[in-house]
Every structure is written in C-alpha cells, then in structure tokens.
Amino acid sequence: MGRKTKTAAHGMKKKDVTVTLTPEGVELLDSKASILGISRSELIERIARGQVTSISEVERMGELLIN
C-alpha cells in the first residue's frame, strides 16, 4: 500500500474518519487498493470524488496496470 500522509494529493489536510466494515469488506477493500498500488484511504477518497464508480472499474484499472 501507499505511504500514509496527513496531506492529501488534493491539496487539503486529511481528516481522520472511522469506517466499520465486515472482515470480508476489509479484505476486498485492501485487495482493490493493492491492485491499484494505493492505500485503502486513497481508494475511498477516489470513490468519494467519483474517480472510481464501481469495483469492476477498479479491476479494469488493475488489469491495465498489470498488462
């Protein structure tokens, strides 16, 4: 996963947020973030900003990075 930082790439200071997921949800989030080579926090940020709209989009992005 990516390096942890309190300053987002989006030019703003980050705010701590607690998210509760099932163990399977955490595994899936980590897996998708790993495919993209980013942290789970950055993946959530991208989803919130509409930069990633679906899990299948993450998988396609990962395939592009691998190929």
Side-chain angles (χ1 to χ4, degrees):
M1 275 195 253
R3 181 175 72 83
K4 289 188 177 188
T5 178
K6 288 289 184 178
T7 305
H10 310 284
M12 292 182 253
K13 187 174 180 172
K14 290 186 174 182
K15 179 180 178 181
D16 289 332
V17 176
T18 300
V19 177
T20 305
L21 301 169
T22 63
E24 181 182 12
V26 173
E27 286 180 28
L28 291 168
L29 183 64
D30 287 345
S31 173
K32 304 308 178 192
S34 178
I35 287 169
L36 297 175
I38 60 176
S39 67
R40 61 171 75 142
S41 177
E42 180 62 21
L43 178 54
I44 293 168
E45 177 82 27
R46 291 182 187 187
I47 291 167
R49 291 178 174 274
Q51 295 170 335
V52 174
T53 56
S54 70
I55 294 304
S56 61
E57 184 175 341
V58 170
E59 291 167 343
R60 283 194 307 273
M61 291 167 70
E63 288 172 8
L64 290 174
L65 292 172
I66 292 169
N67 294 326

